[in-house]
Amino acid sequence: MSSAESVTRRTPVLPDEVTAVHGARWIATAAVAVGVLNYAYALVLTRLLDVADYAVFAAGQGLLVCTAAIAVVTVPWMLAQALARARSEAERAEAVRFAVVTGVAGGLLAALVVALVSVQFASMETALVIAASTFLIYVTRVSAGWLQGTERLRTLGVVTTAEAVLKTAVGLLFVAALGLGETGALAAFGIGVLPFLIYRPRGFRGGRGRPWLETTANRGLWRRAVGVASLQGVVALMAAVDVILVAMLPTDRAEAASYQAAVMLGRVPLFLAGAVSIAFLPALSRRRADAPLVGDALRMYLTMAVPLSAVAATAPGSVLTRVFPSGYGEVGVLLSLTAVTGLALGALALLVTFCQAVNDYACLKPLLVGLSVYVAGLAYGWTAHGVVGMAVGGLVGTLVAMLLLAVRHARVHGFGLRRVLLGPRPLLVLALAGGLVLLRAFPVAWFCVAVVVTGLALRWFFGRHSDPTGRDPAPDAREARSSGAPGRRPAGGTAAAVPPDEERSVRLLVDAVWHGRTRPATDAELAGALAVARRNQVEGVLARTYPDRLAATRDEVAAATALFRRNLFESTRLLRSEGIPTVLIKADLSGDYVYGNFDLVVPYGRWEQAQEALAGWYVRRERYWLERSSKVLLDPVSGPAAHLHTAVSWFGVPVVPTDRLFARALPVDGAGTTPGVALVNGSRPDWLVPCPADRLRIWLAHALFQNLTLDLSELLALRALLSPDTVAEAHREAAREGWASGSGRALEAALAAMARLDRGEPVPLPLPLSVGTSLRVGAEHSGHLLGQGRVRVAAREASLRVPLVVAKHVRRSES
């Protein structure tokens, strides 16, 4: 190792760089998955559509890719950059509102432009479909920006992949089964973006005064949005204008389809550049200018893009003829050119991202010069030698544009090229690419080397045992790993070491809440313990253990509990006056209550009547679409809301029968509640509570069917219910309800965690339940419902179980 490389490797990686590197891996994984699905989709369509229809589809797809490329960076990247730099919740809220405005307005404008262009090569029906898909792509990019800006990159990768899966499935269904042709294939792009609606930003609905009007008048946000749109719009045009032109020019349809197919394969580096850009943009935006971080991003990109471009550019004709139908005879010649063009275009996209991150919109001038050269190259190439000439002209134009921007960026900001070029890897990459060129005449040997090259590129980029930045992790991470400290996951979903202070904070919380011990603690330890306590709903217990130092938290919890008791008494009194009994679940008046709502079960057939009885008590009524027929949320003027349930159910799937719940329920005074606690202004409780066995089962069901975790407050509640008779009775009832195995596994996990807490051993809090247990209980319970003839409910649970487990697992990994 050279001395220069040694110095580089001793440079520590900062936390945001670690998040960026691992986030880039997740986004790139999604990009690879999306790329594979997109190419498979395109290849299947070459066989399902005739050449003329495929040319229309490819042109429409090029338009969608072009406008989506602008949307992907104008709306989400502007939002992500604003969130990364925001110093207050007000700034974050304003950025979100502005993103919504620009998403809707930009979507309408882009849809109009796309419709006007697409009617030049497609029918009116197809043009309208392309326009509608364009609008949906724009408005859903707000969710993408929210995930990117909060550095929830793993979730962003999963949702992006889900978008491609849905698009492919729907598109093939429309074309193969319904015979909708190129129109159906293009309509799938609009339907595929629907998963992003699940992760739309929440909590920024309003503010004082006229927040939406003030947001639209924010000149700083408008300047940033216009600047981002200008830069990325040029890149998007360079990525799509050739595909659109080749569909509109008077050329042979087979040659046009060959060009479009070659371009789609050659654009793989552009998707990789997008992945690296998405992951590095927040860190680059916070630092404003950082040449080493720019070098790290370039190194990640080139490590993957150069080998894959070499494989595409050197693919022998005999290999390509096995992939493409006979009508795509020009693909081999064109691919050798478009692969290099794609590599240069990806580098250009990265350079634009670096400029955008530091608000350097002056780079638009050389970028426009490069665009002019690119368009001129396409035009001259077309007149000289048709589609092959276009490919040559596009390659020359892209290289000129990239070099113009690279020279300017190196002069103004620097690159950190030593980080890009040091070490043996760049030389090995070039050697492998040269070997592929020499072996092109020997297809079998080429194929073997291509597999090795692709495998090495994937290993270098995604490998866990090496850092693609070429540098050592930060010193505190090394120390944490060597000491065996348990890991946690930061916002970006990447693994990181738990600092010793945080580990001591967790031990402090367990001592105070689980063991009831008070021991000396620093301010940092106590603050860390309070943060974990809030995640586990036990901040009140911790505050009472340290009443002087956590007086504000103690008062906050007391106020929240008082509001809960007041609203509970008021709502249940009104219901009882109408002859409607209720059972309060997942709550106990003898302890704290800091949730935003409380749960009341009413008898069968009394749900609508109960809502009418509370008509003057609540000011807003809400329903969640998955539970609209079984649960309603009634918000009063202040304090926690009342959840009215028709049964103990989750996502519309009943678990504990309502009739047995009421038949076995107990009055509050007969349920072991602390005397005097249940009095508010001298009133006695007007509700029932589950019997101990039902309470135990409901806590376990809540963990299994919804949260997939048990927090510390739930472990405390379970610990108070662990008498042998109660456990045995709960097991019998769970068997009657069809989830005995799942309840047994959840209880075993809880008991094991309690034993570790008793011994003072570390336990992840909240305690996650295994994926196997979560899936098994869904299969077990849905099978039981099916055996009872409840086909619709069984199908509902079976269809929701896997998405629920995946979503909860991803969110838990990021928390």
Side-chain angles (χ1 to χ4, degrees), residues 509-728:
L509 174 68
V510 172
D511 283 342
V513 175
W514 191 260
H515 298 287
R517 294 196 295 257
T518 305
R519 62 180 178 83
T522 65
D523 290 342
E525 290 173 348
L526 198 56
L530 180 60
V532 181
R534 291 188 188 279
R535 294 199 298 268
N536 287 269
Q537 310 297 329
V538 291
E539 59 264 43
V541 182
L542 180 66
R544 287 190 295 274
T545 306
Y546 297 89
D548 296 330
R549 301 174 65 184
L550 296 177
T553 300
R554 181 195 60 196
D555 295 342
E556 174 190 326
V557 172
T561 302
L563 285 173
F564 155 65
R565 293 174 181 171
R566 184 200 69 183
N567 289 359
L568 175 63
F569 271 90
E570 290 177 353
S571 58
T572 54
R573 186 178 67 249
L574 289 171
L575 291 170
R576 177 63 73 176
S577 68
E578 297 294 326
I580 303 174
T582 55
V583 176
L584 175 68
I585 61 173
K586 299 186 298 176
D588 182 1
L589 283 178
S590 63
D592 303 315
Y593 200 87
V594 293
Y595 292 94
N597 54 74
F598 54 92
D599 298 273
L600 295 170
V601 181
V602 298
Y604 284 128
R606 310 294 296 274
W607 190 52
E608 297 290 347
Q609 184 185 354
Q611 296 177 57
E612 295 175 2
L614 295 177
W617 178 78
Y618 68 86
V619 295
R620 186 174 68 236
R621 180 173 65 175
E622 297 177 288
R623 293 185 185 180
Y624 179 46
W625 67 280
L626 280 176
E627 301 173 302
R628 58 186 178 274
S629 62
S630 60
K631 182 173 71 174
V632 64
L633 181 67
L634 306 177
D635 284 292
V637 175
S638 63
H643 260 166
L644 292 187
H645 300 259
T646 60
V648 180
S649 63
W650 286 273
F651 305 109
V653 179
V655 178
V656 179
T658 302
D659 53 354
R660 286 189 63 79
L661 176 71
F662 273 90
R664 293 154 54 85
L666 303 170
V668 174
D669 288 341
T673 304
T674 303
V677 171
L679 289 174
V680 172
N681 296 327
S683 302
R684 303 299 304 175
D686 287 306
W687 66 90
L688 304 171
V689 294
C691 69
D694 287 357
R695 270 187 283 163
L696 174 64
R697 210 162 66 261
I698 288 170
W699 283 121
L700 294 175
H702 183 244
L704 282 165
F705 291 95
Q706 178 162 320
N707 283 354
L708 309 187
T709 60
L710 283 164
D711 64 33
L712 191 55
S713 69
E714 292 166 331
L715 292 175
L716 287 169
L718 290 174
R719 185 170 66 171
L721 298 168
L722 291 180
S723 69
D725 292 342
T726 299
V727 171

